[in-house]
Structure formats: C-alpha cells, structure tokens
Amino acid sequence: MRYLHIENARLIDPSQNLDQVTDVYVAEGRIHAIGHKPATGGIEHSIDASGLLLVPGLIDLGAHLAEPGFTHKGSIASETRAACASGFTHVCALPDTKPVADSPAVIQLIQEKAAKAGFAKVLPLGALTQGLAGEQLASMFSLREAGCVALSNARAPFKDSYVLRRVMEYAATYDIPVFLNPDDAALSDGGCMHEGPTATRLGLTGIPQTAETIALAQMLLLVEQTGVRAHISQISCARSVRMLAQAREQGIRVSADTPLANLIYTDEAVTGYNSQFNVQPPLRSESDRQALLAAVNAGELAISSNHRPHEVAAKKAPFADAEPGMSIFDGFLPLALQLVERGELELSAFIRATSALPAQVLGQNQSLSEGNWFNAVLINPDAEQSFRRSTLLSKGRNSPVAGKTLKGAVNAVFIDGRKVFG
C-alpha cells in the first residue's frame, strides 16, 4: 500500500477536541494512521505541512449555484471551484434554480454537472413545494430518493401555516430533514435592509426583526408539534438566537446557521448605498452581530456562506432595486480568519461551525480520524491573497473582497483522499 504522507501539520478537529502538530497517512481515500507510520507500505508522496493547518473539509449549508437557469451569473463548475478556494469539500445547493429543483430529473442534472466539474461535492436541497410556489407539496419522497440531503423552500414563502404544517408532517413521516428560512413575507415585503436608524437616515424601507422572529416562532411551534427534523437557515438577529436556545431547552430538536456576512458586517455597511450589501437576510445591528458571534463561539450556531453570484448589471440598479446577494466563496476563508485575528471568533469555533456542526445536521462524519474518508483542507493562515475582480474564481462580480489583500489561503483540498484543489 502506498501512502500520501502529510507531515508536521497542525491538525485541528473540534469534533475530537484535537489540536496538535502531527503526521497523517492516507491511502485509498481513507486515513490509515495519525501520529505514527503504518506498519506496512511505503510513501508515495509527501507534503511538508509545517506552519499549515489541517482541518476537516468545510461544509456549506446553503449556497446559490446559479445552475441550471442562470448561467450568466455562475455555473456549478465555477462556483464549486470558488468554494474549494475557501476550503469547502461539500456544498448544499439551494433549489431556486430554473427550472426549480422540484423533480428527480433536475436533481440528476445537478449531480451530473457537479461530478463532471470535479471540485466540491454538491449536496442538492430539493424544493419543499412545487415550483417553490408555497402551495402544493413537491414529490418529497422522490426527491429524497434522487439524492437530496434535505428539502427547502429557500426564501420563497409558504402560502399559509396550513401548508407549512403539512410539509412538516409529510417530512416527519419519512424522516426527511427540512431546511427552513424564517421570513414573514408580509412584514419583509418591500424592504431592502435592516429596519433601524441607518435605514431611516438613508430613506430606505427596512425589514424589521419581527419579520424573522414571528416566522421563527411559528416554525418552532410546528416543529414541536410534528417532530420533524428541522434546520433553521440563515438567522440574522439576537432574538432568534435566544428563541432557538429556549426551544432546545424545551427538548425541540432543531439546529440553525447564520451567514458569514452577518458575522462580519452590520447595516452601517449600507451607508453610501453600496448595493454589494443588499443581502437577504439583511445585515442587522452591532448588537445582533455580537449575539450571533457569541452563539457561534458557544457551538450553538453553524456558519453558512449564503453565496449568491450576480453579474455586474444586477448590482448596478439603485440600492433598493438591486438584486440581493453576495458572492462570497472566493473570500470566505480570509474574511472568517479576519474575525479570528481580531479575537471575535475562536479558530476552533470557526472550524466547528463550518465542519462538525454542518456534518451533524446532514448526518455525515467529517472528522479526521483513522478509518474515515479523508475530506480535509490544508490552510496557510499567514499567506496573503490579493483579490482582483478579473481573477475571481466565482463568476459573481458582487464580491466584498474585490480589490483587497487579505491573509489566509487554501494550500490544498482533498475529497475522499483525492486532491481537487491547490
């Protein structure tokens, strides 16, 4: 047996409370030994990982990959390659494609294109309702059989609470996980940023926190009633953090994530009407940002990308009319490491929130332990990257890192033992 030998890496795996400099031996896609040379076999290739971090591959719980249907914004190949540039080995693809991912045929197309691209693995999220219209249930069991890891309605609203309840009941019957975005469409309608002093000063229509918390309260009550396996996607405010903590204390089985942008920026970023910061959910207040960071550091909240690539024209309109979304894959890792460097986010908490917690949500094992598949990323935390709009890997031109130089770069990405990036 011939081994890939990664030597002198700082192995960090919060799921096992590991943080140590060690050697790792990989063969046939799996980890065969950590910290000691296998008794038999030779070394096929060695990587000197001195000064590098070796961490479990990152898993994204929600990204818009733009394909099928919006290839002028991005493709599965371009966006999964950009995801690899920040250490993602697995990406959950939201169903708001064209056509909507509400049939096994569309799911198969997504899987085929992802396999052909050969970068990060794509884990499809099928639509909960037909056409994401929020009325008729999609063929949920067929979508699960076709390979969907969970089902979601993205940010499309449900017609009413009756439909939401039926969706949950059906999913609970077949133990299908559901990803739910808390948003009361009637309260958020017409809004383009957080409702607060900044929105008032800029004369922009705000989205109140209650648009999220009222919808979340309804969801939590129905999760409790139906017993469905639920994940709350993309929360943005402190009250939601408290509501989720109370729900867990009451025995409700629910997990949650927040977009990285909501950990970095606040509604103050909108000053100057910069449409790059027109995102959904909206960037909220500094107190909300701090509450989200505290929840991530406590291990209560995963971090998602909420990656949404756009062409230049989509962001050229006035702020309120610009298409919401941020292309964040290219800069996800260095942006997160900025938070670590500032002391706002613990390194182990970041790794846990982007690997162990998402793996737990999806029922996967991403830990770096002997016998497991080698899904991992080597990171150079000190390497500087200069981001130019013309050289971004994502097709999206709406990147917050364009024109910036940031610390932190991926050295290599491995999926099932195969080097796919770096």
Side-chain angles (χ1 to χ4, degrees):
M1 190 172 287
R2 308 292 288 175
Y3 295 99
L4 165 65
H5 175 210
I6 300 176
E7 53 183 327
N8 298 319
R10 181 184 171 191
L11 173 60
I12 305 177
D13 186 351
S15 70
Q16 304 178 80
N17 293 317
L18 279 179
D19 187 345
Q20 62 188 45
V21 175
T22 189
D23 291 10
V24 177
Y25 296 84
V26 179
E28 297 177 343
R30 293 184 183 272
I31 301 171
H32 277 251
I34 296 176
H36 63 92
K37 189 176 180 180
T40 60
I43 305 301
E44 181 176 334
H45 180 60
S46 288
I47 297 175
D48 181 5
S50 301
L52 303 183
L53 311 179
L54 178 62
V55 306
L58 276 54
I59 301 173
D60 186 16
L61 291 172
H64 306 266
L65 299 184
E67 190 180 14
F70 302 97
T71 50
H72 58 294
K73 297 179 181 290
S75 67
I76 287 172
S78 67
E79 304 318 298
T80 54
R81 185 181 177 210
C84 279
S86 276
F88 287 100
T89 56
H90 299 74
V91 175
C92 291
L94 286 157
D96 52 351
T97 48
K98 188 177 182 180
V100 167
D102 60 359
S103 70
V106 177
I107 301 304
Q108 184 180 352
L109 174 66
I110 291 169
Q111 292 169 324
E112 288 173 354
K113 286 189 174 288
K116 184 179 179 182
F119 296 111
K121 284 188 176 181
V122 173
L123 308 176
L125 298 176
L128 281 167
T129 60
Q130 294 177 24
L132 295 177
E135 297 182 4
Q136 299 295 320
L137 271 61
S139 301
M140 295 165 64
F141 183 78
S142 298
L143 289 170
R144 181 64 189 271
E145 290 292 290
C148 292
V149 293
L151 302 181
S152 165
N153 224 48
R155 295 193 72 81
F158 295 94
K159 179 185 175 184
D160 51 39
S161 53
Y162 176 82
V163 175
L164 180 58
R165 176 186 173 184
R166 289 290 174 247
V167 159
M168 290 191 190
E169 287 175 337
Y170 188 94
T173 300
Y174 293 99
D175 195 30
I176 300 171
V178 297
F179 283 26
L180 303 168
N181 292 69
D183 178 46
D184 187 308
L187 287 173
S188 64
D189 186 39
C192 59
M193 68 171 294
H194 170 63
E195 183 178 279
T198 305
T200 302
R201 187 176 75 248
L202 296 174
L204 294 171
T205 304
I207 300 172
Q209 291 185 351
T210 47
E212 178 171 299
T213 54
I214 287 174
L216 178 59
Q218 180 190 59
M219 287 171 176
L220 291 175
L221 289 168
L222 289 173
V223 168
E224 182 179 38
Q225 180 177 336
T226 60
V228 70
R229 269 204 291 159
H231 175 78
I232 306 299
S233 298
Q234 303 172 2
I235 68 165
S236 66
C237 55
R239 184 68 181 269
S240 295
V241 172
R242 296 197 297 271
M243 291 169 67
L244 285 162
Q246 290 166 359
R248 293 189 191 106
E249 287 171 6
Q250 293 165 8
I252 299 174
R253 183 173 58 167
V254 65
S255 54
D257 71 71
T258 189
L260 178 65
N262 292 78
L263 298 175
I264 300 172
Y265 309 109
T266 68
D267 59 338
E268 290 287 340
V270 176
T271 300
Y273 302 96
N274 187 343
S275 62
Q276 298 282 27
F277 300 104
N278 183 337
V279 292
Q280 296 289 348
L283 306 172
R284 297 204 180 271
S285 69
E286 176 63 14
S287 61
D288 290 310
R289 189 181 78 88
Q290 291 297 333
L292 294 170
L293 282 165
V296 172
N297 282 323
E300 298 170 0
L301 206 54
I303 302 173
S304 61
S305 75
N306 196 21
H307 173 78
R308 189 172 200 131
H310 286 303
E311 75 283 16
V312 172
K315 288 290 189 178
K316 281 290 188 184
F319 186 91
D321 299 321
E323 293 186 46
M326 184 179 285
S327 178
I328 203 168
F329 272 155
D330 283 273
F332 185 96
L333 178 65
L335 285 171
L337 292 179
Q338 272 193 332
L339 291 172
V340 174
E341 192 169 1
R342 293 204 301 256
E344 293 188 312
L345 179 62
E346 297 166 16
L347 179 60
S348 61
F350 165 66
I351 297 167
R352 179 175 58 233
T354 51
S355 61
L357 289 183
Q360 194 176 345
V361 169
L362 299 171
Q364 296 189 1
N365 186 351
Q366 195 82 337
S367 67
L368 298 180
S369 54
E370 293 182 10
N372 279 357
W373 289 104
F374 188 55
N375 292 307
V377 55
L378 275 170
I379 297 169
N380 186 338
D382 299 316
E384 287 195 341
Q385 293 190 77
S386 294
F387 295 93
R388 296 193 303 276
R389 207 175 296 278
S390 59
T391 58
L392 294 173
L393 297 181
S394 168
K395 277 190 181 181
R397 303 297 89 175
N398 53 319
S399 171
V401 298
K404 295 183 178 179
T405 298
L406 301 173
K407 278 176 64 175
V410 164
N411 183 278
V413 175
F414 300 89
I415 297 179
D416 295 343
R418 182 173 62 92
K419 186 178 179 181
V420 299
F421 188 87

